[in-house]
Amino acid sequence: MALLTLLLTALGLAADCFAVAVSGSIAMRTPTRAGVMRTALAFGLAQFIMPLAGWAAGKGFVDVVSSYDHWVAFGLLALVGAHMLHESFESEGKEEVSSDITRGFRLALLAVATSIDSLAVGLSLAFLDAPILFSATIIGVVAFAVTVGGFALGSKLGDIAGRRARLVGGLILIAIGVKIVLEHTLL
């Protein structure tokens, strides 16, 4: 696989990481540097591990998972997005409620949800006889960088979104999930 093709593939896989980082930082408004790095590391690591798992698992496992992986990704994103929507309405008239996507169970769910497509890419890399460790590393590093960029952009947008930032962030996460399902069921 040519380096340019690998980089474009990595950017495509990292698009969801970018969108989640933007929506998460919109909702958080002022994410900490540690939180951004923790999220970028989790997303990058998940994007690194999933192609390795797909490559190692072989065609049988990916064929089973590929028939519903988009529903798993949608479910995870919708769950976190719905929780953020709930928080946006619950926080009216109250002190700030945390919409921190940079730690705990939310971070783990989002890391898995944004990297499920990488599993199938790992299988494809096995068929192409591509160097899996190099390829997975590029995919992970690109996801890390794109996530950091998403947080930078989202922080600026969060200032603009103001009070409804959690609502916007939650709707974006749900929209990403819907996009994933539509791509897998209509195309």
Side-chain angles (χ1 to χ4, degrees), residues 1 123-130:
M1 175 180 274
L123 176 66
S124 300
L125 292 173
F127 290 144
L128 295 172
D129 210 20

Side-chain angles (χ1 to χ4, degrees), residues 95-111:
E95 285 296 311
E96 284 290 306
V97 176
S98 175
S99 289
D100 189 356
I101 67 161
T102 69
R103 59 180 70 242
F105 191 63
R106 266 189 204 177
L107 177 57
L109 280 177
L110 291 171

Side-chain angles (χ1 to χ4, degrees), residues 13-87:
L13 291 170
D16 290 341
C17 297
F18 178 79
V20 169
V22 168
S23 68
S25 61
I26 285 173
M28 293 172 63
R29 291 231 198 121
T30 53
T32 65
R33 181 169 289 157
V36 170
M37 290 298 117
R38 188 173 39 251
T39 305
L41 182 62
F43 285 10
L45 187 61
Q47 290 282 1
F48 169 77
I49 290 171
M50 287 297 219
L52 293 174
W55 183 82
K59 186 168 173 39
F61 175 71
V62 173
D63 283 346
V64 170
V65 172
S66 68
S67 64
Y68 62 87
D69 66 348
H70 49 284
W71 290 108
V72 172
F74 169 75
L76 295 174
L77 290 167
L79 181 69
V80 175
H83 191 262
M84 288 173 72
L85 289 176
H86 174 72
E87 286 178 343

Side-chain angles (χ1 to χ4, degrees), residues 153-178:
L153 177 62
S155 293
K156 292 182 186 349
L157 295 175
D159 292 338
I160 295 167
R163 229 177 114 82
R164 289 286 162 209
R166 283 188 191 90
L167 176 68
V168 171
L171 290 173
I172 289 172
L173 289 180
I174 293 169
I176 294 167
V178 169

Side-chain angles (χ1 to χ4, degrees), residues 1-10 125 128-131 134-135 138:
M1 175 180 274
L3 183 59
L4 179 60
T5 303
L6 178 59
L7 286 171
L8 292 174
T9 300
L125 292 173
L128 295 172
D129 210 20
F134 176 75
S135 300
I138 295 295

